[in-house]
Amino acid sequence: MHRDRQNTAIYPGSFDPLTNGHLDLIARGSRLFDHLIVSVLVNTSKQALFTVDERVAMMAEVFAPFPNVEVDSFDGLLVEYAARRNASAILRGIRAISDYETELQMAHLNRRLRPETETVFLLASEEYSFVSSRMIKEVIKLGGDVAQFVPEPVLRSLRARFHEKRYIES
Ligand code: ADP
């Protein structure tokens, strides 16, 4: 069958910071869609560790080897951003029932707002199902090693941020 339109999906999130769980989902998503836009939500109400520009820069480095993955940022309504980017799907990950409940509400809301955008869910891989950005920040703040949970550029930025902080505090 001939398709003349690219199949584009958006994977939105805070990515503060990107984890190996996100990375796994993006690698798997990049095999399902022609073009995957990983987009950082500009959320002024959430207290973030890294600025949007810092997150985008780290992610651009991580996804340089993925030719069909683009890193971007957006604010405002997700479905309007999807329309602007000609995306037919929103990709989200589900780790546990707790994710499912909030994801279900968001997917229903987004369908009401723009029925032509489908939300597609991928289950987190078992080995990453407990990994979250919040958990990474807690572990590194308490002096733990997070090397196994985040990609190299993120690890570098986390170490720089927390070593700077310890240096300033001491
Ligand atoms: P948000 O603040 O929008 O939840 P996140 O960056 O925390 O943004 O997550 C973005 C998406 O990635 C969500 O759909 C979330 O469920 C999913 N996700 C987060 N961590 C993982 C993981 N370890 N494995 C798979 N999916 C994940």
Side-chain angles (χ1 to χ4, degrees), residues 10-15 35-42 52-53 55-57 59-60 63 69-75 81 84-85:
I10 291 174
Y11 180 40
S14 309
F15 306 112
H35 182 203
L36 180 60
I37 306 170
V38 182
S39 200
V40 179
L41 169 65
V42 179
V52 170
D53 288 348
R55 282 176 261 165
V56 166
M59 289 160 69
F63 297 112
V69 175
E70 176 190 337
V71 180
D72 192 17
S73 63
F74 75 103
D75 61 11
Y81 172 67
R84 265 198 321 276
R85 298 301 319 261

Side-chain angles (χ1 to χ4, degrees), residues 29-150:
S30 73
R31 293 195 284 270
L32 294 175
F33 298 97
D34 300 321
H35 182 203
L36 180 60
I37 306 170
V38 182
S39 200
V40 179
L41 169 65
V42 179
N43 185 346
T44 42
S45 65
K46 245 193 194 176
Q47 176 88 44
L49 175 62
F50 293 108
T51 66
V52 170
D53 288 348
E54 286 170 330
R55 282 176 261 165
V56 166
M58 281 180 247
M59 289 160 69
E61 191 177 338
V62 173
F63 297 112
F66 292 72
N68 66 335
V69 175
E70 176 190 337
V71 180
D72 192 17
S73 63
F74 75 103
D75 61 11
L77 269 185
L78 174 59
V79 287
E80 281 175 8
Y81 172 67
R84 265 198 321 276
R85 298 301 319 261
N86 290 319
S88 53
I90 293 167
L91 177 66
R92 296 288 288 177
I94 298 218
R95 287 163 291 189
I97 293 287
S98 50
D99 277 344
Y100 178 77
E101 286 176 357
T102 41
E103 293 294 339
L104 185 70
Q105 285 184 348
M106 263 192 301
H108 281 315
L109 177 68
N110 284 332
R111 180 181 290 152
R112 278 292 173 96
L113 294 174
R114 188 172 186 256
E116 52 275 53
T117 309
E118 281 293 345
T119 303
V120 175
F121 295 106
L122 287 182
L123 294 182
S125 300
E126 295 104 87
E127 66 260 53
Y128 301 119
S129 60
F130 64 95
V131 176
S132 69
S133 302
R134 190 173 52 81
M135 169 272 241
I136 304 278
K137 288 184 275 197
E138 275 173 19
V139 171
I140 195 154
K141 259 182 217 159
L142 297 171
D145 184 15
V146 295
Q148 59 183 309
F149 305 124
V150 294

